[in-house]
Amino acid sequence: MATWVFLHAHPDDESSQTAGTMVLAHDRGDRVVNVIATDGTLGMAAEDLRKGETVADRRREELACAAGVIGIDRVEWLGYRDSGMAGWDSNHDPESFCNADLTEVTARVGAIVREEKADVLVSYDPDGGYGHPDHIMVHRVGAAVARQLGSPLRLLEGSFNRDMRARQKALAVKLGVTGQGFFDSDEPQDLRPFGSSASELRWAVDLPDEVVGRKHDALACHASQTSDAGFFLSLPKQLFRAVLGIEYYREPAHPGELVHGWPLEEA
C-alpha cells in the first residue's frame, strides 16, 4: 500500500484535476491525503448561504462531500487566505497564500508528508496549470518539499496536455459548445498558456468510465462554484470525458517520454 499526499490550492481543485487518480489510488488500497492551501473564500458565494454561514464554511462542507465520493482518507486545511485570480487586488494582500512565507508553508506541508510517510507528493506544474497565483505557489511549495525531503519521496506535478487543446476545441465546436473561455483561449490568465506540452509530461492516467463518473459526482458536490465546477458539469458527456478523462503529470526527477499507465507500477 502506498500513501499519496495531494497539495491543492482551493476546495474543488481536487475534483477537477486529480479526482480520478485519487479514486484509483483509493480503490487499489492506497491511502489518500488531501491538503488544501486556502480557505477558498474568494470563490462563488452560494445563493442559499444560511444565516451566519460564510463562503469558506460552505466550501468546507462541499469538500467533505467530494472527499466521501472520491475516497479521501484525510483532509488538512492550511487556512491561508485565497489570493483570487491573477490581476485581482487580492494578489497584493500580505495574508494571501501567494504571498505566504515559503519556508513556513514548506515546513507545514513537509510535516504532513513526513507524518504520513508519504510515497508520493502531488502538486502543480510551474505555471500552476493556467497562471493562478495560488496554483503557482502550490508548485513552489511542492518543489521545495521535494528538495528538502529527497528520495524516496516522488514528486508528481499535475498539469494539462496542451497538445490536446486543438482536439478538445474541435469537439466542443462539433457539439455546439461555443463562447466558453476554456475552449476559446489558450492564454486564460496572465498570458501563461494552459498546461504543458506532451514532451514535458511524464504520466497520463487514463480513467475508466466508472471513475470518470465518480469524478463528475465529486465536482457536483461543489455546487456553489457555478463558474468552475458548474462549467465542467455543463459539458456534454463526450466532451467531459475528452477534457477530464485523462489526468496528466510531470515528474521533474524522472523525465522521459509520456507513458499512459499507473506511475507507481511503471517507475
Side-chain angles (χ1 to χ4, degrees):
M1 183 182 82
T3 297
W4 300 66
V5 172
F6 291 80
L7 177 59
H8 280 292
H10 314 98
D12 82 358
D13 287 332
E14 84 296 327
S15 294
S16 61
Q17 298 187 45
T18 64
T21 304
M22 290 170 147
V23 166
L24 289 170
H26 174 268
D27 289 356
R28 287 166 173 259
D30 291 352
R31 180 168 171 80
V32 177
V33 178
N34 192 29
V35 180
I36 308 299
T38 79
D39 55 11
T41 195
L42 293 181
M44 304 284 290
E47 294 182 0
D48 63 342
L49 278 181
R50 299 178 289 270
K51 184 177 180 180
E53 183 185 23
T54 67
V55 171
D57 292 337
R58 176 60 63 91
R59 300 201 72 182
R60 280 178 173 265
E61 185 178 300
E62 290 176 339
L63 181 56
C65 169
V69 171
I70 293 168
I72 295 173
D73 298 289
R74 174 185 177 186
V75 175
E76 283 292 327
W77 295 81
L78 299 184
Y80 292 97
R81 187 169 298 172
D82 192 340
S83 303
M85 303 294 273
W88 288 13
D89 289 344
S90 50
N91 297 172
H92 306 293
D93 184 337
E95 299 300 318
S96 291
F97 179 57
C98 67
N99 299 316
D101 182 83
L102 181 61
T103 300
E104 173 197 280
V105 187
T106 299
R108 294 182 66 189
V109 175
I112 295 171
V113 171
R114 286 193 297 271
E115 177 188 347
E116 289 288 346
K117 298 181 175 60
D119 301 281
V120 186
L121 172 63
V122 179
S123 65
Y124 302 150
D125 68 43
D127 287 329
Y130 62 104
H132 192 299
D134 286 332
H135 289 234
I136 293 171
M137 185 62 170
V138 164
H139 164 77
R140 295 177 62 206
V141 173
V145 171
R147 285 194 301 269
Q148 185 180 87
L149 299 185
S151 183
L153 178 69
R154 290 178 62 188
L155 175 67
L156 302 182
E157 297 179 342
S159 190
F160 305 107
N161 186 342
R162 190 185 306 151
D163 295 348
M164 295 295 291
R165 296 281 296 159
R167 187 179 303 177
Q168 292 168 354
K169 286 191 219 180
L171 180 58
V173 171
K174 179 180 177 182
L175 296 175
V177 179
T178 58
Q180 300 282 2
F182 182 86
F183 297 111
D184 295 342
S185 174
D186 285 326
E187 296 179 344
Q189 295 268 333
D190 54 352
L191 301 183
R192 297 171 187 252
F194 274 107
S196 309
S197 65
S199 63
E200 297 172 304
L201 297 167
R202 187 68 179 91
W203 305 105
V205 178
D206 297 287
L207 308 182
D209 287 342
E210 185 271 336
V211 174
V212 173
R214 283 170 66 181
K215 185 169 184 173
H216 189 280
D217 292 345
L219 276 165
C221 288
H222 297 282
S224 69
Q225 302 309 296
T226 56
S227 65
D228 297 322
F231 162 71
F232 290 119
L233 293 170
S234 72
L235 299 179
K237 183 176 180 180
Q238 184 181 0
L239 187 55
F240 184 92
R241 166 167 270 293
V243 173
L244 297 180
I246 304 176
E247 294 176 350
Y248 293 95
Y249 300 94
R250 299 161 62 122
E251 187 169 9
H254 300 285
E257 293 185 0
L258 178 62
V259 173
H260 283 257
W262 189 241
L264 299 193
E265 286 185 352
E266 300 286 345

